[in-house]
Amino acid sequence: MELLIEKDSAAVAVRAADIITEFIPEQPTLGLATGSTPVETYRELIQRYESGEISFAGCRAFLLDEYVGLPHEHVQSYYQTIRRDFTRAIDIADEDVHSPNGAADDLARAAADYEAAIEEAGGVDVQILGIGTNGHIGFNEPGSSLSSLTRKKALHPQTVQDNARFFAEGEEVPRQAITQGLGTIMRARRILLLATGAKKAPAVAALAEGPVSAFCPASVLQWHRYATIIVDEAAAGELKNIEYYRFAAANR
Ligand code: GLP
């Protein structure tokens, strides 16, 4: 696992965009995360696209997760969010941006279909991840099987609370999602996990330096062959081995 510590969230976004840019000539299948953290990276990639530096033609994208019960049209569905934050501003065909169908009658079927679609596409080449304050990735909450596949999960009350800011007052915040499993995420060839701000510092420390445990789902990345964790100084605040990470980054 590689840990890169950048000055601030803007520098995290540039670093992440640099790595994704390296993949572009291969027309990669991108694994996209929603949440606020990757938005700056998406903006950076949009700028590079607009300046003619990169093109996403031929790329495909798979989202990590989707709320259960929200139709595609809902402004807070991840289907809409990723289009608003990223894909509608770049040259990726809309039908090539995939997400689980959280509004399906048969959610188990929708989850299995999504897992199969990722496999049929040849898997994800580069997966972008954020991290929840409790160490979740996608919507794999603490206790998730480390080898889980795409399925319906109940959100943790803390996650419901964290996400309430995106919903109108009085509107019900979804309590369930369809999410790629930890086993699904682990199949991605390259993983980039981004974390910014002091609120994420305990989760980052647990992910990188704690035991591999379902209690911190992101810690499964310690088993991944090519995971890069990019954090700002605030999110790095609780790392014990920080001197080594800085040294290793300077001597890559
Ligand atoms: C949600 C998403 C995760 C995301 C997390 C953190 O729970 N399902 O993919 O990583 O939020 O979001 P933020 O980046 O806004 O802190």
Side-chain angles (χ1 to χ4, degrees):
M1 180 181 278
E2 183 178 40
L3 233 138
L4 305 176
I5 301 162
E6 299 292 340
K7 187 171 66 145
D8 52 23
S9 64
V12 167
V14 169
R15 193 66 183 257
D18 283 348
I19 296 173
I20 295 160
T21 299
E22 284 170 27
F23 278 86
I24 290 297
E26 299 164 26
Q27 301 188 326
T29 295
L30 301 171
L32 301 178
T34 46
S36 48
T37 310
V39 170
E40 275 186 88
T41 301
Y42 296 149
R43 265 192 228 127
E44 178 67 31
L45 289 168
I46 291 167
Q47 271 174 27
R48 292 179 190 203
Y49 163 69
E50 285 173 348
S51 73
E53 190 189 337
I54 54 176
S55 161
F56 294 86
C59 292
R60 277 187 279 205
F62 284 88
L63 253 72
L64 277 174
D65 45 15
E66 180 59 278
Y67 290 118
V68 163
L70 295 193
H72 280 170
E73 307 76 55
H74 194 286
V75 65
Q76 286 308 331
S77 70
Y78 284 170
Y79 178 94
Q80 290 292 342
T81 302
I82 202 65
R83 282 166 172 76
R84 195 166 55 236
D85 288 348
F86 188 32
T87 57
R88 79 170 177 201
I90 57 170
D91 58 341
I92 190 167
D94 196 49
E95 60 273 21
D96 286 332
V97 181
H98 304 275
S99 51
N101 181 5
D105 291 332
D106 185 344
L107 292 167
R109 179 68 188 268
D113 286 350
Y114 195 65
E115 186 74 30
I118 296 172
E119 217 168 294
E120 274 160 32
V124 168
D125 294 305
V126 53
Q127 174 67 56
I128 300 162
L129 295 174
I131 185 169
T133 52
N134 63 6
H136 75 247
I137 51 178
F139 272 127
N140 294 281
E141 297 286 14
S144 292
S145 156
L146 299 181
S147 58
S148 48
L149 300 180
T150 304
R151 71 222 181 285
K152 184 181 85 175
K153 279 294 283 183
L155 309 192
H156 192 283
Q158 179 66 52
T159 307
V160 177
Q161 202 181 312
D162 286 350
N163 291 346
R165 67 189 195 278
F166 297 114
F167 290 82
E169 219 180 297
E171 193 179 7
E172 201 169 328
V173 184
R175 294 176 178 200
Q176 296 173 320
I178 294 184
T179 180
Q180 286 189 33
L182 295 171
T184 320
I185 293 168
M186 286 292 282
R187 288 187 193 139
R189 292 176 192 94
R190 178 80 186 265
I191 289 186
L192 298 182
L193 184 144
L194 317 178
T196 56
K199 254 175 64 182
K200 298 291 172 69
V204 168
L207 128 75
E209 298 178 341
V212 174
S213 155
F215 192 64
C216 175
S219 67
V220 74
L221 299 181
Q222 292 178 33
W223 275 104
H224 196 277
R225 289 197 180 88
Y226 205 177
T228 302
I229 317 300
I230 313 177
V231 297
D232 65 1
E233 291 287 349
E238 295 195 18
L239 290 167
K240 293 195 185 72
N241 204 14
I242 192 155
E243 214 179 308
Y244 172 69
Y245 307 135
R246 292 193 204 280
F247 182 84
N251 293 279
R252 289 172 95 208

